[in-house]
Amino acid sequence: MEKNKTVVADIDRGMYDIKNEDRYSYKVSQGLTPEIVTKISQEKNEPEWMLDFRLHSLKVYEDVPLPDWGPSLEELDMNNIVTYVRPHTVMKGNWQEVPADIKNTFERLGIPQAEQESLAGVGAQYDSEVVYHSVKESLRKQGVIYTDMETAVKEYEPMVKEYFMKLVPPQDHKFVALHGAVWSGGSFVYVPEGVTVDIPLQSYFRLNSPGAGQFEHTLIIVEKNAKLHFIEGCSAPKYNVTNLHAGCVELYVKEGATLRYSTIENWSRNMLNLNTKRALVEKNGAIEWVSGSFGSKISMLYPMSILKGEGARADFNGITFAGQGQHLDTGAKVVHAAPYTSSNISTRSISKNGGIAVYRGAVKVTANAHHSKASVNCESLMLDDSSRSDTLPSMDILNDEVDIGHEARIGRISDEAVFYLMSRGISEQEAKAMIVRGFAEPIAKELPLEYAVEMNNLINLELEGTIG
Amino acid sequence: MSEKLLVIHDLHAAVDGKEILQGLNLEIRPGEVHVIMGPNGSGKSTLMNLIMGHPKYELTHGSIEFEGQDITKLKTDERARLGLFLSFQNPEEIPGITVENFLRTAKNSLSGQNVRVLAFKKELKEAMAALKMDPAYAARYLNVGFSGGEKKRNEILQMLLLNPKLALLDETDSGLDVDAVRIVSAGVSQFKNEKNAVLVITHNTKILKELQVDYVHVLIHGKIIERGDRSLIQKINEHGFAEWTAAAKE
């Protein structure tokens, strides 16, 4: 009898793996000291309070231990991580002025093309600094601000001072403390009251330098009854040294406002992705997360929504794909801190070739949050016997008048389903890819189109191989 | 070149080490409608799965030829590309893949080229109308949340669009009400022409009323022990399989 066995080699990630020569105009030495942190601050000409904040964060970083749960981070040696790499250019508002190697990288990733076709504004970060930024004039006139964090610290200082790392303070855990000390780049978005930004803004983060860290900070404030869709993409070529990504995202959603925040993180397989994202949602506001985690060696990512005002709402749609040598520990957290709040978490995970995909999530309902609703649905698909999948949901419910639902399913590709598709002339490989794409579809349909296409391509790449 | 579409010779087969088929012979020519009848457990579904190449079913002896070619080593999708089709008794549910997307992918795979989208849409719409299917089903996920009858109609829809040389219908009438049986039968009649053939397996006779049946085979304990024309159907309707099962035990 024939035995079907799928052998899948490590994939060719094509354009994501094209690396440029490591050219830079300034790079701090490896490791982490108050001198290095001070140098980063001086390089950026920052106000005194920011330098103080960085040095304070560094102290916290030194005091706080590594997390005692989740994937092992013992291979991380901060002495080997370069925290700051300034590319060989300053920020431009025109792609023609961006140096050719950097511009070509973003062109291969489709960023300038997408800007022309479907975006209202674009930011592009290369290593530690933003190299390109633009926003449509019509939005600027309505008071929408979209710029890099360095510019924001200088030009919108009071606002940055009011919000920066207030939602995610350095004391939270070791890697936000690290972030507070060495953060660089990222986006600042402000949407004034009542303004609807009807086409998305997009930032793209590209880490080129080997052995570097990326610590971009995203700060978004959507004022009362305003509306925004923000898209973030991340990637890096593969080197043989460990890279670290410890970004921080703070989202402030005011009364009646809506923010949709979509990301695809497709880091290379030498990346430790320890990212922290959090949203604070006021009365009748809504946060909608769409999150895809593909690359990286280790990911620990649990975007959190704090529903602070009555009637606030959070939606989380996430997909994780763990292949050989990957340990992706992802999920979502929601805190219902007011009455009549609602949340909906829906995740899909796929593991293959020994990959580990874990859903880790938490729902907390505080004592005053009566008439709140929460639903959690996690589905996992394991493509072979060597892969692993776990679901670790936690529920902490302190009010009886609530409606809580939880569903978890772990499954495999059914041989009968493959046979069914093959009986219609579809090859075994395509049949399996169709089933996996179908499994991912509920999340894929929430993604911006080009990202959904990218995700399907990634799934096809991941499943390509010899069958025999 | 053989004029025969399907030739099965002395077929023995096992599932999980248990021998189910014990020397089955069958020949089908273009233009013919064959029916295999037999009680539950007689090996009908095993035969269908074996012809289609289900990896769980093991051929231990004998041969299956399609248009003169030995197909027993071919994979299921290769058999489908030669012109074989199986209408499943219990079709799988595939979430996230729409009926339309699935059918277009199947058609592309069978023809080796991309079908023209507009022509395909038109063909799909017409076939659905013929089967009295709600056109909204084209955008639904394959068999997900379909009733038993809807699944069967969806199988016949696939048969009409994929247009195989030999269609194997596995209990296509089971679980259907009278109207649904009539619609499905009409679909099969619409499909049938002098160049293709149909092999129906069933343990009841509802679907056969509306079909032009040429040959009836009675399958008992993995062997065909009686062959005849459609008058056999009448006999089975009246007396069941008792006569043969008793004989097979002796």
Side-chain angles (χ1 to χ4, degrees):
Chain A
M1 192 176 135
E2 184 183 48
K3 194 165 187 295
N4 289 327
K5 192 180 164 209
T6 308
V7 182
V8 184
D10 203 12
I11 57 158
D12 174 8
R13 293 165 73 250
M15 63 185 179
Y16 303 106
D17 273 339
I18 296 172
K19 41 195 131 177
N20 294 338
E21 191 192 334
D22 185 22
R23 294 166 64 198
Y24 51 86
S25 60
Y26 180 77
K27 198 171 182 175
V28 295
S29 47
Q30 295 172 339
L32 201 52
T33 60
E35 290 68 43
I36 286 177
V37 168
T38 307
K39 264 188 193 162
I40 293 173
S41 187
Q42 282 166 354
E43 267 294 305
K44 294 176 182 295
N45 285 319
E46 284 176 351
E48 195 66 26
W49 67 268
M50 188 55 93
L51 174 59
D52 292 345
F53 183 85
R54 285 179 184 277
L55 292 170
H56 165 71
S57 300
L58 181 63
K59 277 209 190 82
V60 176
Y61 170 76
E62 283 160 358
D63 292 346
V64 175
L66 281 169
D68 57 1
W69 48 272
S72 164
L73 299 171
E74 61 186 17
E75 70 182 274
L76 178 65
D77 179 358
M78 276 316 293
N79 293 324
N80 289 326
I81 301 280
V82 180
T83 50
Y84 181 72
V85 184
R86 194 173 76 193
H88 53 285
T89 179
V90 292
M91 194 175 83
K92 307 292 186 192
N94 181 337
W95 281 112
Q96 299 313 317
E97 293 167 18
V98 175
D101 57 341
I102 297 179
K103 189 176 106 206
N104 290 343
T105 300
F106 286 109
E107 274 174 355
R108 277 195 296 271
L109 296 167
I111 308 302
Q113 298 89 320
E115 178 183 6
Q116 282 166 19
E117 287 156 18
S118 56
L119 297 169
V122 162
Q125 177 162 346
Y126 191 84
D127 289 330
S128 297
E129 294 284 346
V130 176
V131 294
Y132 173 84
H133 232 289
S134 86
V135 61
K136 275 200 161 59
E137 190 53 34
S138 56
L139 290 178
R140 214 191 305 259
K141 278 186 185 147
Q142 290 178 82
V144 174
I145 302 166
Y146 178 36
T147 186
D148 64 302
M149 268 316 292
E150 278 75 6
T151 305
V153 169
K154 292 179 195 114
E155 291 182 17
Y156 309 99
E157 190 178 343
M159 217 176 342
V160 173
K161 209 170 171 180
E162 184 185 343
Y163 292 103
F164 184 84
M165 292 196 80
K166 291 290 175 358
L167 187 51
V168 184
Q171 296 76 11
D172 256 35
H173 61 78
K174 194 167 185 72
F175 296 98
V176 282
L178 172 65
H179 176 92
V182 302
W183 75 268
S184 182
S187 301
F188 175 75
V189 184
Y190 177 80
V191 185
E193 185 173 337
V195 172
T196 294
V197 181
D198 43 16
I199 28 181
L201 301 177
Q202 172 165 4
S203 283
Y204 202 97
F205 302 107
R206 174 75 179 175
L207 189 48
N208 182 68
S209 191
Q214 185 149 338
F215 307 95
E216 84 286 354
H217 194 93
T218 302
L219 176 54
I220 299 178
I221 301 153
V222 186
E223 289 286 5
K224 230 170 143 177
N225 300 320
K227 219 173 163 177
L228 173 69
H229 182 185
F230 188 79
I231 305 171
E232 224 169 59
C234 315
S235 69
K238 181 164 182 164
Y239 293 105
N240 290 325
V241 291
T242 302
N243 273 25
L244 171 65
H245 176 239
C248 178
V249 174
E250 296 181 286
L251 311 174
Y252 295 88
V253 182
K254 300 297 176 76
E255 189 175 330
T258 301
L259 172 58
R260 191 176 180 85
Y261 180 89
S262 309
T263 17
I264 283 239
E265 301 196 30
N266 181 26
W267 300 108
S268 57
R269 304 257 171 108
N270 57 327
M271 179 67 87
L272 306 184
N273 182 30
L274 311 169
N275 217 354
T276 307
K277 303 182 179 185
R278 200 165 294 168
L280 183 68
V281 190
E282 311 271 357
K283 189 176 171 182
N284 296 326
I287 176 75
E288 299 165 359
W289 305 90
V290 183
S291 176
S293 299
F294 288 89
S296 86
K297 182 170 192 184
I298 292 173
S299 274
M300 294 175 78
L301 177 63
Y302 326 94
M304 179 179 191
S305 310
I306 301 170
L307 304 177
K308 187 186 166 204
E310 223 174 280
R313 178 173 70 82
D315 256 315
F316 182 89
N317 283 292
I319 182 154
T320 296
F321 197 139
Q324 188 169 26
Q326 288 184 276
H327 187 161
L328 307 186
D329 199 276
T330 61
K333 290 186 272 192
V334 180
V335 179
H336 291 260
Y340 302 101
T341 51
S342 62
S343 70
N344 188 2
I345 296 173
S346 174
T347 67
R348 297 285 184 280
S349 82
I350 301 162
S351 53
K352 188 205 78 175
N353 264 11
I356 305 173
V358 176
Y359 170 83
R360 190 188 300 270
V363 172
K364 185 181 166 93
V365 179
T366 60
N368 67 325
H370 56 86
H371 296 95
S372 289
K373 274 186 197 171
S375 108
V376 180
N377 172 302
C378 312
E379 290 188 29
S380 313
L381 187 63
M382 287 184 288
L383 301 189
D384 50 51
D385 292 334
S386 62
S387 303
R388 243 183 67 198
S389 194
D390 272 317
T391 305
L392 306 168
S394 126
M395 299 266 178
D396 182 10
I397 315 296
L398 302 177
N399 188 301
D400 289 337
E401 286 176 278
V402 290
D403 181 358
I404 310 289
H406 176 249
E407 246 182 285
R409 246 178 41 197
I410 295 180
R412 293 170 191 285
I413 293 184
S414 127
D415 292 341
E416 294 302 321
V418 173
F419 176 62
Y420 183 53
L421 296 183
M422 285 177 77
S423 79
R424 303 305 187 239
I426 296 167
S427 72
E428 181 176 349
Q429 184 181 316
E430 174 59 13
K432 287 182 171 168
M434 274 182 97
I435 292 166
V436 175
R437 284 199 303 267
F439 174 79
E441 168 68 15
I443 311 298
K445 69 171 199 243
E446 298 295 329
L447 287 168
L449 182 66
E450 68 269 25
Y451 281 70
V453 170
E454 182 182 328
M455 191 178 87
N456 277 340
N457 288 340
L458 284 168
I459 288 175
N460 292 344
L461 273 173
E462 290 279 357
L463 295 174
E464 247 170 46
T466 46
I467 294 169
Chain B
M1 276 291 285
S2 165
E3 279 198 18
K4 289 161 188 162
L5 208 46
L6 184 77
V7 177
I8 294 177
H9 178 67
D10 196 21
L11 187 64
H12 291 251
V15 185
D16 299 329
K18 188 179 172 227
E19 190 163 55
I20 306 287
L21 296 181
Q22 311 182 24
L24 184 144
N25 296 293
L26 183 68
E27 289 187 12
I28 298 176
R29 290 174 186 76
E32 295 176 348
V33 173
H34 289 246
V35 176
I36 296 181
M37 299 184 72
N40 282 333
S42 57
K44 300 189 303 290
S45 284
T46 299
L47 176 63
M48 293 302 209
N49 280 302
L50 212 59
I51 297 172
M52 211 61 226
H54 193 301
K56 206 174 88 185
Y57 295 81
E58 191 185 357
L59 188 150
T60 50
H61 183 78
S63 64
I64 305 172
E65 287 178 8
F66 188 72
E67 292 188 312
Q69 182 188 352
D70 181 359
I71 60 167
T72 51
K73 295 277 186 296
L74 296 184
K75 289 183 176 189
T76 300
D77 56 318
E78 293 167 329
R79 299 181 196 207
R81 287 199 284 273
L82 291 178
L84 276 161
F85 176 92
L86 172 59
S87 167
F88 285 67
Q89 191 178 345
N90 297 306
E92 286 287 314
E93 300 190 359
I94 317 280
I97 302 295
T98 63
V99 169
E100 181 175 342
N101 179 0
F102 164 63
L103 266 168
R104 208 174 53 232
T105 306
K107 236 177 140 65
N108 289 344
S109 300
L110 289 174
S111 66
Q113 55 193 9
N114 288 343
V115 295
R116 283 166 41 229
V117 174
L118 284 178
F120 170 76
K121 276 186 183 289
K122 184 165 174 277
E123 196 188 347
L124 177 62
K125 212 174 149 190
E126 285 168 2
M128 290 183 88
L131 294 168
K132 299 194 165 52
M133 286 176 80
D134 180 348
Y137 274 72
R140 285 187 53 175
Y141 294 154
L142 186 57
N143 294 322
V144 177
F146 286 27
S147 71
E150 286 162 349
K151 284 181 181 170
K152 296 293 170 66
R153 267 191 246 190
N154 188 29
E155 293 294 290
I156 298 304
L157 175 71
Q158 294 170 38
M159 181 183 74
L160 288 177
L161 276 141
L162 302 179
N163 196 23
K165 289 175 185 160
L166 174 60
L168 313 168
L169 308 185
D170 188 355
E171 305 278 3
T172 297
D173 49 351
S174 71
L176 297 188
D177 61 24
V178 182
D179 287 340
V181 169
R182 197 168 294 141
I183 291 164
V184 165
S185 304
V188 177
S189 300
Q190 185 191 330
F191 160 73
K192 189 68 203 60
N193 61 38
E194 72 282 359
K195 285 187 182 144
N196 61 25
V198 173
L199 172 59
V200 183
I201 63 162
T202 181
H203 64 274
N204 61 44
T205 56
K206 283 192 282 185
I207 196 173
L208 305 176
K209 285 194 193 114
E210 321 251 344
L211 286 184
Q212 185 64 51
V213 175
D214 301 303
Y215 299 96
V216 177
H217 313 261
V218 178
L219 181 65
I220 307 281
H221 295 327
K223 264 186 187 161
I224 287 172
I225 59 168
E226 175 103 28
R227 295 175 201 271
D229 59 17
R230 67 173 294 133
S231 64
L232 254 182
I233 300 170
Q234 184 66 21
K235 190 176 166 189
I236 292 166
N237 258 348
E238 285 166 17
H239 306 291
F241 298 104
E243 176 193 327
W244 296 295
T245 47
K249 271 185 192 144
E250 279 164 16

